[in-house]
Amino acid sequence: HPGCERRVAQIAGTRFASIRGVDEDGVPWVAGASIACADYNGVGKEQLIVDFTARGGGKDVVAVADYSATSATLTFPDGNAWTMVPCSNPNLKTAQQRAACASAK
């Protein structure tokens, strides 16, 4: 879904996240997810396990997370990849995120 925005937000103090998005039809959707540690399923990277059933998709879709100093990418089994737009969030909450964005300028 090129050009379709996705917002992934961890629910503070938990291993859960919410995902908000809009596809080409313009209809907004929300999906729940849980965050898995790097050892889950024998994969050496953190993962996001997403429940897309509310929008007609799979229940336990596993996206693998890759991080850099200023960005992150979630890669799904079907080849779709969601890449964070570096420093696009004006409400960055952690000192690490603020420092990474400052050094990228």
Side-chain angles (χ1 to χ4, degrees):
H1 306 279
C4 295
E5 186 174 288
R6 309 289 191 251
R7 292 183 181 252
V8 180
Q10 183 174 0
I11 299 169
T14 72
R15 291 183 36 202
F16 299 100
S18 68
I19 303 171
R20 297 180 182 277
V22 176
D23 288 336
E24 294 85 356
D25 60 8
V27 178
W29 53 266
V30 177
S34 59
I35 300 165
C37 65
D39 294 330
Y40 181 76
N41 280 343
V43 176
K45 298 179 179 181
E46 286 185 3
Q47 298 153 71
L48 194 65
I49 304 165
V50 186
D51 181 356
F52 285 117
T53 56
R55 55 182 297 252
K59 181 173 177 21
D60 294 316
V61 180
V62 179
V64 177
D66 284 299
Y67 299 99
S68 72
T70 58
S71 188
T73 300
L74 291 171
T75 303
F76 291 85
D78 65 0
N80 277 323
W82 299 353
T83 301
M84 183 183 87
V85 177
C87 306
S88 62
N89 183 348
N91 299 313
L92 294 174
K93 295 182 179 175
T94 68
Q96 180 182 8
Q97 288 171 313
R98 287 191 296 273
C101 287
S103 69
K105 291 181 182 179

